[in-house]
Amino acid sequence: MKNLKYIFILSSALFAFSCNNDDTPANGGGTVTDPVETNPANTQYKPAFNGQTRIAGMTTDTEFKADIITSALTSPWGVKALPDGRLLVTQKTTGTLRIVTTAGVVSEPITGLPAVNPANQGGLLGLCLDPDFASNRMIYWVFSEAVTGGNISSVAKGKLAANEKTIENATVIYRSSPANPSDLHYGGRILFDQTGNLIVSTGERSVLQTRPLAQSLTASLGKVLRITKEGQPASGNPTFSGAGALPELYTYGHRNPQGLAIHPVTKEIWQSEHGPRGGDELNRLKAGSNYGWPTITYGIEYSGQPIGDAIQQKEGMEQPVYYWDPVISPSGMTFYTGNRVPEWENNLFIGSLSGQHIARLVIKDNKVVGEERLLAGEGQRFRDITQGGDGALYAVTDQGRLYKIDKK
């Protein structure tokens, strides 16, 4: 075990946007500080509203610690707590699952899943447990699949065998379209909503050929989908106009959404996605809505050139609740519902890849009112985070670590 004590060094932020008194968390949240982002932005784009970016910083007053449970995982991508408190982890490049105890004992690889294409950003991605897992042992996951014409994001399900060595009757229940040779931007998060249907994120596959398909209602790229356990369009989905609109669509206009979480109070779906150079987003999803990519964005091309018409707002397209410039590369995320650290109640925790930290966001009335960076000294790409049955947070990193984060 490795116990880590964190000292947060705060400095004034460039291009900081002030927070008025109405944005101060009513129930605390910690000590308010200067914004955590101190690097210059990539653009001179202006936010649509006060507090949309570079909000006031926040530091946790309760002493907490981070323990490295294990460093023996291989490219972990998704983590979920089992009913008995152990952690089920997907391994991106090997296409296998592992179970890790809170004491750090790692199982042998669990096999039996469909073959993944592990090239670049592909592989075995996000996972979730059936709401009735305790009785049916069913697991659902997203993976990159090689098919005729290229690669796609696919959804599969299967039963964890009693001996926990294999997945029984693994079945692909949904395949995105169209296929493309790109091995980038698969999206890949999955969860159950309050009605028992699956919410799935897909990326627009990055290349210029497929990027516009995020705006197409006849393609399932760059979307958030809502499907049944059998992979069919869920009842109550929004109705989109136009011939050929896919009935499984829930929202569209996304780039590479790698974070999904249900707000513990409102039960609304929140989502994070990777922007280009600048313009990472946090969104509150509203059924049937268009989130703008690539028509509107707070980012630019990696070359420094503008994207499209270089606009950030357009009628009929949703604004992000919050955005980052420069990027932090937000990945898996979860809302905290434990009571171990009181000021974290209902806060959103997001794994940051290029930023190499865990972003803690204090949210009030659907606005971000405080931001903190946790574990910033670890030098790790935090890929996913979840809450365990013991009320602690558990996070996995691309480098193979599983952390436990809890009150001292």
Side-chain angles (χ1 to χ4, degrees):
M1 294 289 191
K2 176 183 175 185
N3 292 339
L4 307 171
K5 184 176 180 180
Y6 298 93
I7 299 173
F8 294 89
I9 302 172
L10 303 150
S11 58
S12 297
L14 298 171
F15 306 105
F17 294 92
S18 64
C19 221
N20 61 36
N21 291 335
D22 291 339
D23 289 337
T24 302
N27 61 343
T31 300
V32 178
T33 70
D34 291 332
V36 296
E37 183 57 75
T38 61
N39 292 313
N42 289 290
T43 76
Q44 296 298 315
Y45 298 154
K46 302 301 182 184
F49 54 85
N50 185 45
Q52 194 181 19
T53 191
R54 297 185 184 236
I55 198 64
M58 192 74 65
T59 59
T60 300
D61 293 330
T62 302
E63 284 193 294
F64 66 94
K65 61 180 180 178
D67 297 327
I68 299 174
I69 302 301
T70 183
S71 300
L73 297 169
T74 303
S75 300
W77 210 93
V79 58
K80 286 291 178 288
L82 293 166
D84 62 7
R86 295 177 299 161
L87 288 308
L88 183 64
V89 180
T90 60
Q91 296 191 132
K92 171 187 172 295
T93 54
T94 64
T96 55
L97 297 161
R98 306 289 281 268
I99 294 175
V100 186
T101 71
T102 55
V105 178
V106 182
S107 75
E108 291 300 311
I110 300 170
T111 60
L113 290 73
V116 305
N117 178 1
N120 210 331
Q121 295 178 3
L124 182 58
L125 306 175
L127 81 160
C128 66
L129 306 182
D130 192 288
D132 298 319
F133 176 85
S135 58
N136 65 23
R137 302 182 65 80
M138 292 298 294
I139 299 168
Y140 299 77
W141 65 92
V142 183
F143 69 106
S144 59
E145 185 177 18
V147 297
T148 301
N151 306 307
I152 57 175
S153 300
S154 296
V155 181
K157 67 177 182 180
K159 182 179 180 179
L160 179 63
N163 63 10
E164 298 182 340
K165 293 183 178 180
T166 189
I167 296 295
E168 299 174 344
N169 300 317
T171 305
V172 178
I173 62 171
Y174 182 85
R175 290 181 167 96
S176 62
S177 64
N180 186 274
S182 169
D183 52 17
L184 304 170
H185 293 196
Y186 289 102
R189 293 296 170 195
I190 183 170
L191 54 72
F192 275 94
D193 69 8
Q194 297 302 299
T195 66
N197 291 298
L198 290 163
I199 304 295
V200 182
S201 68
T202 66
E204 36 72 289
R205 309 305 310 286
S206 180
V207 295
L208 293 179
Q209 175 189 1
T210 60
R211 182 187 283 181
L213 295 181
Q215 287 293 315
S216 171
L217 299 177
T218 62
S220 53
L221 309 186
K223 307 297 191 300
V224 172
L225 314 171
R226 184 168 174 267
I227 58 176
T228 67
K229 294 181 181 181
E230 290 71 44
Q232 299 301 308
S235 62
N237 275 356
T239 300
F240 296 96
S241 60
L246 299 177
E248 63 265 32
L249 303 187
Y250 188 75
T251 60
Y252 65 109
H254 301 292
R255 186 173 181 268
N256 188 22
Q258 287 192 7
L260 287 172
I262 302 288
H263 192 286
V265 176
T266 67
K267 307 305 180 184
E268 293 176 310
I269 304 166
W270 289 62
Q271 171 253 28
S272 67
E273 66 182 80
H274 292 237
R277 186 175 169 188
D280 284 348
E281 294 183 1
L282 173 67
N283 294 299
R284 182 170 63 95
L285 299 186
K286 294 183 283 187
S289 294
N290 181 356
Y291 287 81
W293 178 258
T295 306
I296 62 172
T297 176
Y298 285 95
I300 55 177
E301 300 283 9
Y302 294 114
S303 66
Q305 295 299 306
I307 292 173
D309 294 330
I311 59 174
Q312 294 73 58
Q313 302 178 47
K314 186 174 183 177
E315 185 176 357
M317 295 184 178
E318 297 294 324
Q319 282 291 306
V321 171
Y322 196 69
Y323 73 87
W324 292 267
D325 181 9
V327 300
I328 65 168
S329 306
S331 193
M333 65 192 206
T334 193
F335 283 97
Y336 181 79
T337 60
N339 56 13
R340 301 279 297 164
V341 183
E343 61 262 52
W344 289 358
E345 183 181 4
N346 299 330
N347 289 182
L348 182 62
F349 291 79
I350 307 176
S352 163
L353 299 170
S354 62
Q356 297 191 355
H357 65 267
I358 295 171
R360 169 192 167 228
L361 300 181
V362 183
I363 296 172
K364 178 186 176 186
D365 298 330
N366 295 324
K367 292 178 64 178
V368 175
V369 298
E371 181 176 8
E372 182 175 15
R373 292 181 173 179
L374 309 178
L375 283 68
E378 292 298 284
Q380 297 287 301
R381 290 170 53 87
F382 288 91
R383 180 63 68 172
D384 196 17
I385 185 167
T386 194
Q387 185 171 314
D390 56 1
L393 292 172
Y394 291 87
V396 292
T397 72
D398 282 357
Q399 295 94 319
R401 292 182 181 178
L402 171 64
Y403 283 85
K404 177 181 179 180
I405 309 162
D406 197 11
K407 179 180 179 179
K408 275 192 175 180

